[in-house]
Amino acid sequence: MRHDHLITSKQLSREDIETVLDRAAEIAAEPEAVAGTYEGTLLGLLFYEPSTRTKMSFETAMKRLGGDVVDMGAVESSSVSKGETLADTVRVIEGYTDALVLRHPREGAATMASEFVDVPLINAGDGAGHHPTQTLLDLYTIRENAGLDDLTIGIMGDLKYGRTVHSLAYALTNFDTTQHFISPTSLQLPREVVYDLHQRGTSIKEHEDLAAVLETLDVLYVTRIQQERFPDKEEYRKVAGQYQIDVETLEAARDELTIMHPLPRVNEIAPEVDGTEYATYFEQAHNGIPVRMALLDLFLGETDE
Ligand code: NCD
């Protein structure tokens, strides 16, 4: 993989994706083979927005490889609260570390920050923009459970503000997939994303109702309504609570359906679904470790291809 930074999944070819997923599978099968190989390596964590899985799994991945992390901590306790710009902060922290992981509420922040640093910068979510490392662990999970070609996937929920959705939709255009997007009209995919997906020759359809497509799906990817991105909270209240699934909703599903969710969930998937064969979201979150170990290895390794 020859990239200086990882900013969006648009930059990833099928070959790039397969390189990461294959390496992740090797690491998952034999984690002891890489344990300790990055002793002395430091990863800088800059999270300007809340995170549990992404931040902790990057930290776990770096430590499992033998390295360590330095963490800016909460924005309120850092110099950001004194008015320091993102460009200045990343220029300082790159001098302390071998790579940076950045999450920021502003779309485009990772692209901008990457222009100021020479160490690899990995986008861990930029506003409603992109979240490419989530996509890589999503693709890993899809490949393990349903296969990536000849795939029919339904992506449901907040398609407008959901960055995991945007990143996944672009990445899937590298494979032979049909993508169904299910949301209220007000939370449809941004039109430029729809345009790009068409341009990339992928088959996409938009729906307001899951029942219209559920029985055809191999994978159902459910997402949270991104409350924090709504300019008008009244608009949020109108759509909150729509598109919830429970055991009854799933009566029409194929037995092989794989249900995914990037988490955190609020109430999109009833807890009663957790015990069914469909539920794959906790496995999906766990896959974040081998996938992020593989990514760090590819970005930090001396022999990265
Ligand atoms: C997602 C995110 O932060 O975009 N979470 C994650 O990284 N697993 C999804 C979300 O917050 O809804």
Side-chain angles (χ1 to χ4, degrees):
M1 203 166 70
R2 295 213 175 275
H3 296 287
D4 296 334
H5 308 289
L6 179 57
I7 307 296
T8 91
S9 66
K10 289 186 205 180
Q11 76 191 73
L12 297 175
S13 65
R14 181 176 177 129
E15 199 189 334
D16 289 334
I17 292 167
E18 285 173 347
T19 302
V20 179
L21 303 198
D22 291 348
R23 185 77 187 114
E26 275 170 28
I27 292 174
E30 212 187 336
E32 33 327 324
V34 287
T37 48
Y38 284 91
E39 211 186 312
T41 299
L42 283 178
L43 182 66
L45 302 178
L46 295 99
F47 279 71
Y48 290 72
E49 261 193 351
S51 173
T52 305
R53 270 151 296 275
T54 307
K55 186 166 154 182
M56 289 186 73
S57 67
F58 264 113
E59 179 163 355
T60 306
M62 189 71 262
K63 289 183 172 171
R64 291 228 180 271
L65 290 168
D68 209 339
V69 297
V70 280
D71 183 350
M72 182 180 81
V75 164
E76 305 78 56
S77 60
S78 74
S79 282
V80 177
S81 64
K82 301 180 189 165
E84 183 167 58
T85 64
L86 177 59
D88 279 0
T89 305
V90 292
R91 271 183 291 193
V92 172
I93 312 299
E94 84 156 329
Y96 305 162
T97 59
D98 301 288
L100 297 172
V101 178
L102 173 69
R103 169 169 288 189
H104 200 278
R106 203 170 63 238
E107 201 170 329
T111 309
M112 187 280 278
S114 71
E115 284 160 14
F116 289 89
V117 295
D118 292 324
V119 300
L121 184 140
I122 298 174
N123 180 10
D126 61 324
H130 285 268
H131 193 350
T133 69
Q134 176 70 40
T135 291
L136 288 163
L137 75 90
D138 293 343
L139 295 174
Y140 184 91
T141 309
I142 295 171
R143 188 168 86 164
E144 296 267 293
N145 286 278
L148 277 165
D149 276 314
D150 196 18
L151 173 78
T152 302
I153 185 170
I155 304 182
M156 182 168 91
D158 188 345
L159 312 180
K160 179 177 181 183
Y161 297 116
R163 56 195 174 199
T164 66
V165 172
H166 306 155
S167 282
L168 181 61
Y170 279 100
L172 285 171
T173 64
N174 288 294
F175 302 90
D176 175 19
T177 58
T178 302
Q179 302 191 50
H180 293 282
F181 294 99
I182 306 128
S183 72
T185 323
S186 61
L187 293 181
Q188 277 182 337
L189 273 183
R191 293 303 91 184
E192 66 270 20
V193 177
V194 172
Y195 176 82
D196 286 351
L197 297 177
H198 280 301
Q199 287 291 100
R200 289 171 169 237
T202 209
S203 163
I204 70 162
K205 293 193 185 81
E206 296 179 279
H207 313 267
E208 279 187 60
D209 191 3
L210 175 64
V213 287
L214 179 60
E215 63 186 16
T216 70
L217 301 181
D218 302 310
V219 173
L220 175 61
Y221 188 96
V222 183
T223 64
R224 177 178 71 88
I225 310 291
Q226 307 280 298
Q227 176 177 13
E228 66 277 27
R229 314 243 181 261
F230 278 67
D232 177 355
K233 296 298 165 210
E234 191 43 46
E235 286 301 309
Y236 170 73
R237 272 188 287 277
K238 276 190 209 153
V239 286
Q242 288 186 25
Y243 299 90
Q244 294 172 349
I245 59 167
D246 55 23
V247 166
E248 200 185 324
T249 324
L250 295 170
E251 272 167 14
R254 300 177 54 224
D255 288 348
E256 301 77 25
L257 177 71
T258 297
I259 299 183
M260 296 173 61
H261 191 307
L263 304 177
R265 72 174 145 178
V266 181
N267 51 14
E268 308 81 47
I269 303 177
E272 64 185 20
V273 178
D274 300 357
T276 68
E277 292 281 312
Y278 305 121
T280 314
Y281 24 94
F282 292 109
E283 173 188 326
Q284 179 187 358
H286 295 156
N287 289 337
I289 304 299
V291 170
R292 293 190 166 109
M293 285 171 80
L295 258 179
L296 291 173
D297 185 35
L298 292 164
F299 271 97
L300 295 164
E302 281 170 0
T303 56
D304 60 333
E305 299 282 325

